[in-house]
Amino acid sequence: KQEVTQIPAALSVPEGENLVLNCSFTDSAIYNLQWFRQDPGKGLTSLLLIQSSQREQTSGRLNASLDKSSGRSTLYIAASQPGDSATYLCAACFSGGYQKVTFGTGTKLQVIP
Amino acid sequence: NAGVTQTPKFRVLKTGQSMTLLCAQDMNHEYMYWYRQDPGMGLRLIHYSVGEGTTAKGEVPDGYNVSRLKKQNFLLGLESAAPSQTSVYFCASSYAPGASSNQPQHFGDGTRLSIL
């Protein structure tokens, strides 16, 4: 079964700290992996999308990496700010089925001022 | 830019009642999706559509029906609501299939549905 796991479920850090969020997946036959942000009571906002042929993507203070061989992706957030507080979800698009996007359960991040 | 709009935002139903959730997108996307989000389980795909007039089952389709009569709209129906369908429902759309594109899915803000 193709699964996506995010550990820890919650993380609390002081403002200004650099941090890494983890995402692991069980099948290396992956087409792409996305990182989303979800604010309370809101939908998901796409942050970064990494194609299987890529190793990483960057947007501002965010950097996402993809290692298919180890089944891992990381989201690096530099110089964290209270406004970064949200739930971060990763979603992997696996081969073998049309639009088979599998979501992780998310990591709830709190950045303390 | 409206993006993806879901109506209603909240609804409380009694067991056995029916209702329809509406999703509208203004980005001319071919692909639309309905997900449900439950605590500890992540988002699960209910149904999806690859274009006007087409629908297909996702991971958890039982108890739901969908229609895509117009390209911009994707409707999710509950014919006889059950407490197990209490959830937050998200609609999403994309320009191309996620498996072959670098275009992300765009999500609505969700519909919070409670079945008593």
Side-chain angles (χ1 to χ4, degrees):
Chain A
K1 183 179 179 182
Q2 295 164 331
E3 295 181 341
V4 176
T5 304
Q6 292 184 254
I7 297 173
L11 181 64
S12 183
V13 301
E15 181 178 2
E17 187 166 299
N18 302 326
L19 62 101
V20 174
L21 304 179
N22 297 303
C23 173
S24 61
F25 44 92
T26 55
D27 189 344
S28 61
I30 184 173
Y31 281 125
N32 61 48
L33 187 135
Q34 299 182 64
W35 281 93
F36 293 89
R37 169 184 173 138
Q38 185 175 26
D39 292 289
K42 295 293 185 180
L44 281 67
T45 300
S46 181
L47 297 173
L48 292 165
L49 186 153
I50 311 175
Q51 297 284 42
S52 61
S53 58
Q54 300 172 319
R55 293 298 301 269
E56 65 178 44
Q57 283 282 347
T58 299
S59 176
R61 295 183 292 109
L62 305 179
N63 176 277
S65 68
L66 177 64
D67 185 341
K68 292 189 296 181
S69 62
S70 66
R72 290 190 61 200
S73 176
T74 61
L75 179 67
Y76 174 83
I77 302 177
S80 59
Q81 303 171 358
D84 295 329
S85 298
T87 297
Y88 291 82
L89 296 93
C90 65
C93 188
F94 295 108
S95 61
Y98 180 82
Q99 274 294 282
K100 187 173 176 57
V101 177
T102 302
F103 286 82
T105 53
T107 295
K108 186 175 183 179
L109 173 66
Q110 182 182 22
V111 180
I112 303 170
Chain B
N1 292 331
V4 178
T5 303
Q6 292 183 234
T7 54
K9 297 187 183 302
F10 305 93
R11 188 71 183 270
V12 178
L13 291 178
K14 294 182 179 178
T15 298
Q17 288 186 317
S18 64
M19 78 162 295
T20 300
L21 281 65
L22 172 64
C23 176
Q25 53 94 3
D26 62 0
M27 296 170 284
N28 201 35
H29 285 169
E30 289 289 343
Y31 304 88
M32 297 187 74
Y33 319 85
W34 275 107
Y35 294 92
R36 60 178 289 174
Q37 185 177 36
D38 301 292
M41 300 191 70
L43 275 80
R44 292 180 291 168
L45 183 64
I46 304 172
H47 286 278
Y48 64 96
S49 169
V50 303
E52 180 178 323
T54 73
T55 63
K57 295 180 179 180
E59 182 183 356
V60 288
D62 294 343
Y64 305 95
N65 56 76
V66 288
S67 64
R68 183 102 180 264
L69 299 180
K70 294 183 178 181
K71 185 177 183 179
Q72 64 268 33
N73 295 336
F74 195 27
L75 279 63
L76 177 70
L78 286 73
E79 290 186 347
S80 181
S84 62
Q85 294 177 305
T86 293
S87 187
V88 181
Y89 291 86
F90 287 101
C91 176
S93 70
S94 63
Y95 177 74
S100 61
S101 165
N102 63 353
Q103 299 293 323
Q105 293 183 344
H106 295 260
F107 282 79
D109 284 344
T111 295
R112 284 143 189 83
L113 184 60
S114 293
I115 315 296
L116 304 178

